Amino acid sequence: MGSKYSTHISNSNIGAFGQGDNVNVSGSLTLGGPILLTQEQHKAAIKRAQNALNEDQDALARIDDRLHEALGQFLRLAREIQVEQRSLAEVQSSMKATLEEVWAQQAARGMAPRALPRTLEVVGAIAQHPAAAEVVKKLLGE
């Protein structure tokens, strides 16, 4: 018997099938599919970041006393973002838009935009969230 191989690509799904002597192999991959994060996991990650924010309150006050308020507002709003049944890109976009909205409001109140130090616990806690890469880049000024 000869070997056969086929692929199938549609939207963000890729499938492959291979067949040979006494061997059948198949597999699939979904790109940009739903994020593998439940709403409860998302809220728990945000809660860890809120706890870290409280630990960093004095350090943030030395930089700009409005940072604690701004980050607290961001985390309160981010906690309500729905993550289930949404792609990673969609959740990242929502988180980044939320931060940008909060930052714009705080800038209107006089908070100067600035990069936060990587050493802050809240930055590390936010970085642990699977969908927060863009948020962390913005916080670090990258």
Side-chain angles (χ1 to χ4, degrees):
M1 174 179 187
S3 296
K4 292 194 274 181
Y5 176 77
S6 66
T7 60
H8 171 73
I9 300 174
S10 76
N11 297 330
S12 60
N13 295 312
I14 302 170
F17 176 77
Q19 184 177 23
D21 293 335
N22 300 322
V23 176
N24 288 324
V25 178
S26 66
S28 65
L29 170 67
T30 301
L31 302 173
I35 187 169
L36 300 176
L37 185 71
T38 67
Q39 201 64 37
E40 292 77 27
Q41 290 168 323
H42 167 70
K43 287 182 177 183
I46 296 296
K47 185 176 183 175
R48 285 189 296 275
Q50 288 171 320
N51 290 338
L53 175 63
N54 290 333
E55 292 295 320
D56 284 339
Q57 188 168 1
D58 292 337
L60 289 166
R62 286 190 292 274
I63 300 168
D64 185 327
D65 58 356
R66 292 168 285 220
L67 281 170
H68 185 270
E69 178 186 343
L71 287 169
Q73 182 181 1
F74 162 70
L75 291 171
R76 281 189 302 280
L77 293 171
R79 190 172 193 274
E80 300 307 316
I81 292 173
Q82 294 298 311
V83 298
E84 292 178 339
Q85 304 303 317
R86 295 182 68 199
S87 72
L88 178 61
E90 290 173 318
V91 176
Q92 284 177 333
S93 178
S94 293
M95 299 243 327
K96 185 178 179 190
T98 300
L99 180 67
E100 288 172 348
E101 179 183 327
V102 169
W103 245 229
Q105 290 171 1
Q106 292 297 327
R109 295 181 187 151
M111 184 181 85
R114 65 185 73 227
L116 297 180
R118 290 181 184 273
T119 55
L120 290 172
E121 288 184 39
V122 68
V123 173
I126 293 171
Q128 295 300 313
H129 192 292
E134 293 300 314
V135 167
V136 171
K137 284 181 187 177
K138 182 153 181 78
L139 291 174
L140 295 174
E142 296 176 353

